[in-house]
Amino acid sequence: MLGAGACLGACFFASPVAAHPPHSHGGERKIEFPDIPGYKTLKTDFHQHTALSDGNVWPPIRVEEAARDGLDAISLTEHLEYQPHKKDIPHPDRNRAFQIAAPIGKKNGVIVVNGSEITRDMPPGHANAIFLKDSTKLVQDDPLNSYIEAGKQGAFIFWNHPNWIRQSKTGEAKLSEMHKKLIADGLLHGIEVVNDSTYSDDAIQIALDNNLTMMGTSDIHGLIDWQYNVPEGGHRPVTLVFAKEKTEAALKDSLMKRRTVVWFKNELIGRAEYLNPLIQACLTVKKAAYVKGSMVVSVEIDNNSDATFVMENQSGYALHGNADLIQLAAHSTTEIRVMTLKTLPAFDLKFKVWNAITAPAKHPQVSIKVEVK
Ligand code: ZN
């Protein structure tokens, strides 16, 4: 979206700072999710602004925020066509934010990829092109030429905030003919299902129907700490990217192949083929034993992630002393008691995971194998 300076009334609803629930784990603010089989889980935020377009901070602050949040990669996607600070900071070179941030990122272990926001009326609206070689070449009169140039440079291109009320009166995300053509021409690869404090079911459906990568970003203009109430345990939205290794090339390959899950508030959003292994990797049975003299098993489940899992028991076994809805708090171990009615050496627990989303109104089921000791 556009920063505060550009708002014409519509932005006054902008996110209340206290809207994000805490994910405290010993005061640690770094965003933590485990790797999944075959891939590293990289934490990324590929939609951010600095004073080089309509943001309020200088690029090194973005790198430092990212390092504090434990991010692996970011992009400073300045608006190509909107530069409200240009009287104070004239800069015809649209690569400037990247040039300033990239060496600082290297020192901090944060990969900074060159990117820009193509900022147009609908259609096609706003889109980010990342992994660019030269952003300045995307400054074109015809928006289609900006996409074509980004395509020539091998960029990964995603549609930003498709449900933005300023560009969609009904608040729906809908593909225009121009978007359909961009997808057909291989010039649109992803879509934001989450932007800042907004989520879109429509965008998820568009991603599934058109083979687009699901993205979640902060679109930050001010400070991450203030916008997401980080001191109180909040966090920015991020895209978890499942990559063979932590390199720019591996990130791009993974994004092109749609290997992402979005972490937003307490929700995990993504394709089942990545979301399910991620949930499995977050949860491990630490201990399982029958309560002495009973047929009730005490199962301790360890959650090594930032998500608090809200799960509905669908195992076919009742839980002892608990309703069917349980919570496994972030970075902690939770004991549940399962009534197996006879002594079993092993069994499967099945849960519907309410805070995970694979399609509009669709929540995945995970299966956890319990071996009784
Ligand atoms: Zn933006």
Side-chain angles (χ1 to χ4, degrees):
M1 294 183 220
L2 300 174
C7 285
L8 302 166
C11 290
F12 282 107
F13 74 98
S15 54
V17 254
H20 302 265
H23 73 293
S24 68
H25 41 109
E28 174 58 79
R29 73 176 277 167
K30 281 188 167 49
I31 294 170
E32 290 178 353
F33 284 92
D35 294 338
I36 65 170
Y39 298 108
K40 279 189 189 318
T41 299
L42 302 182
K43 284 89 63 184
T44 70
D45 183 0
F46 290 127
H47 188 169
Q48 303 189 55
H49 297 277
T50 77
L52 285 159
S53 63
D54 62 344
N56 299 324
V57 306
W58 201 238
I61 299 295
R62 291 282 176 250
V63 179
E64 185 168 336
E65 287 173 326
R68 286 176 181 226
D69 283 348
L71 301 194
D72 297 289
I74 62 169
S75 188
L76 305 179
T77 47
E78 310 301 351
H79 298 285
L80 289 168
E81 300 87 351
Y82 181 62
Q83 298 184 297
H85 303 315
K86 76 173 164 213
K87 262 195 199 155
D88 299 307
I89 310 168
H91 58 98
D93 184 347
R94 300 302 200 280
N95 303 289
R96 241 357 245 152
F98 165 72
Q99 290 163 354
I100 296 166
I104 299 161
K106 267 206 180 103
K107 281 188 207 149
N108 286 276
V110 178
I111 296 173
V112 181
V113 309
N114 199 2
S116 281
E117 183 163 10
I118 303 167
T119 312
R120 304 292 182 130
D121 292 336
M122 278 288 262
H126 297 192
N128 279 350
I130 58 174
F131 306 102
L132 289 171
K133 294 183 176 72
D134 182 358
S135 286
T136 309
K137 286 191 178 151
L138 269 63
V139 180
Q140 303 273 350
D141 290 333
D142 184 336
L144 282 181
N145 289 335
S146 301
Y147 285 80
I148 290 166
E149 176 58 35
K152 267 191 210 157
Q153 295 184 26
F156 172 80
I157 308 169
F158 58 98
W159 184 11
N160 298 340
H161 42 73
N163 59 337
W164 189 23
I165 290 173
R166 261 178 73 185
Q167 293 195 327
S168 167
K169 268 189 190 158
T170 60
E172 295 166 293
K174 271 190 196 159
L175 281 182
S176 67
E177 288 309 311
M178 197 188 286
H179 288 111
K180 287 178 193 164
K181 181 168 166 38
L182 288 169
I183 293 169
D185 292 350
L187 293 173
L188 191 61
H189 313 104
I191 183 168
E192 284 182 343
V193 300
V194 166
N195 173 285
D196 184 15
S197 60
T198 74
Y199 157 100
S200 170
D201 266 342
D202 296 332
I204 295 173
Q205 196 58 55
I206 290 171
L208 294 171
D209 292 344
N210 297 275
N211 253 334
L212 301 180
T213 307
M214 293 189 209
M215 303 293 290
T217 69
S218 69
D219 198 356
I220 188 72
H221 290 75
L223 290 175
I224 289 288
D225 286 51
W226 294 351
Q227 181 70 2
Y228 299 104
N229 212 8
V230 175
E232 300 299 317
H235 70 91
R236 72 171 95 196
V238 292
T239 306
L240 304 175
V241 181
F242 305 103
K244 290 277 180 207
E245 52 180 15
K246 183 176 170 176
T247 62
E248 186 168 329
L251 274 164
K252 184 169 143 184
D253 181 58
S254 303
L255 288 170
M256 288 291 190
K257 290 177 178 153
R258 304 175 292 279
R259 293 199 296 258
T260 63
V261 164
V262 173
W263 168 229
F264 170 61
K265 297 183 182 179
N266 190 43
E267 325 246 287
L268 289 163
I269 304 149
R271 289 179 161 78
E273 60 184 309
Y274 303 109
L275 188 45
N276 289 2
L278 180 66
I279 298 167
Q280 295 281 357
C282 293
L283 304 176
T284 42
V285 175
K286 244 174 89 178
K287 231 164 130 185
Y290 278 95
V291 176
K292 211 174 168 194
S294 81
M295 286 169 192
V296 176
V297 192
S298 162
V299 183
E300 290 182 18
I301 303 174
D302 193 53
N303 173 7
N304 66 344
S305 80
D306 280 7
T308 287
F309 286 98
V310 180
M311 315 214 295
E312 183 185 336
N313 177 29
Q314 299 186 329
S315 310
Y317 306 109
L319 302 181
H320 188 260
N322 241 318
D324 272 338
L325 209 59
I326 60 164
Q327 283 204 21
L328 304 180
H331 297 284
S332 54
T333 303
T334 306
E335 187 209 8
I336 57 169
R337 293 188 165 198
V338 184
M339 297 160 69
T340 56
L341 306 184
K342 56 185 172 189
T343 307
L344 298 174
F347 57 93
D348 289 324
L349 286 175
K350 291 192 174 71
F351 293 102
K352 181 173 185 172
V353 185
W354 280 96
N355 65 306
I357 297 165
T358 52
K362 211 172 155 209
H363 308 281
Q365 192 192 61
V366 286
S367 185
I368 299 173
K369 182 140 193 84
V370 179
E371 290 185 41
V372 185
K373 293 266 146 61

